[in-house]
Amino acid sequence: MPERVVREKVLAYIVRGGRLLVFRHTDHSYEEVGVQVPAGSIRPGEEPERAALREAREETGLSAFTVVRKLGETTYDLTPYRYEIQHRHVFHLDLAEPTPERWSSQEAHDGTRAPTPFECFWIPLPSAHVLQSGQGALLGRLFD
């Protein structure tokens, strides 16, 4: 078995009116990638807070995000999907612009590969247990 690599990641819980902003990959099935919140890698030299804001913008196509607070950190082992342990910095973000109930977005990946298409939408917070790969681990801290 390959050695597991530890990667620094961020997750963004964007909440409005008791609902959580999530997305799904439109080029993969729910069984393969599930429903997710905006998340991604922290770039070298980048602060986790800035990475959370960047990832939220890149994955949703929206821009008016602010950090409410850092909710904490957690670790998730992706094995056997990928031999990777993610050390996650989790943030509560606010969004100060209107959105439809559902919209299409895509992440450009800095032009390094074809854009990844997403469908963004809002789900009730009590339904957020459906988040993939342990992404909902710190949702309870939204209520602290």
Side-chain angles (χ1 to χ4, degrees):
M1 180 165 63
E3 185 176 333
R4 288 181 183 91
V5 176
V6 177
R7 303 239 189 258
E8 293 294 316
K9 300 285 187 170
V10 291
L11 295 178
Y13 295 160
I14 302 155
V15 180
R16 176 186 284 163
R19 298 185 306 160
L20 181 69
L21 180 57
V22 297
F23 70 89
R24 70 177 190 90
H25 289 255
T26 57
D27 57 350
H28 296 283
S29 69
Y30 280 112
E31 294 85 1
E32 189 177 357
V33 295
V35 177
Q36 303 174 42
V37 294
S41 297
I42 300 172
R43 293 176 177 164
E46 186 176 37
E47 293 297 319
E49 183 175 292
R50 292 183 63 79
L53 292 167
R54 176 181 49 76
E55 288 292 343
R57 288 190 303 267
E58 288 176 356
E59 294 179 354
T60 67
L62 304 172
S63 60
F65 294 104
T66 55
V67 173
V68 175
R69 66 186 169 115
K70 185 172 184 176
L71 297 172
E73 298 178 20
T74 186
T75 302
Y76 189 82
D77 187 341
L78 285 173
T79 307
Y81 173 68
R82 190 167 52 224
Y83 293 99
E84 176 178 303
I85 295 172
Q86 294 186 347
H87 177 238
R88 297 170 171 176
H89 302 258
V90 184
F91 292 89
H92 175 194
L93 302 185
D94 185 49
L95 175 61
E97 66 187 275
T99 67
E101 287 297 310
R102 291 182 177 268
W103 68 96
S104 296
S105 183
Q106 65 179 13
E107 186 173 11
H109 304 292
D110 300 325
T112 58
R113 60 181 196 244
T116 302
F118 302 130
E119 178 186 32
C120 299
F121 52 101
W122 298 92
I123 63 171
L125 275 169
S127 299
H129 65 89
V130 301
L131 291 172
Q132 66 101 28
S133 301
Q135 286 191 346
L138 298 185
L139 280 169
R141 293 190 182 173
L142 287 168
F143 305 98
D144 290 346

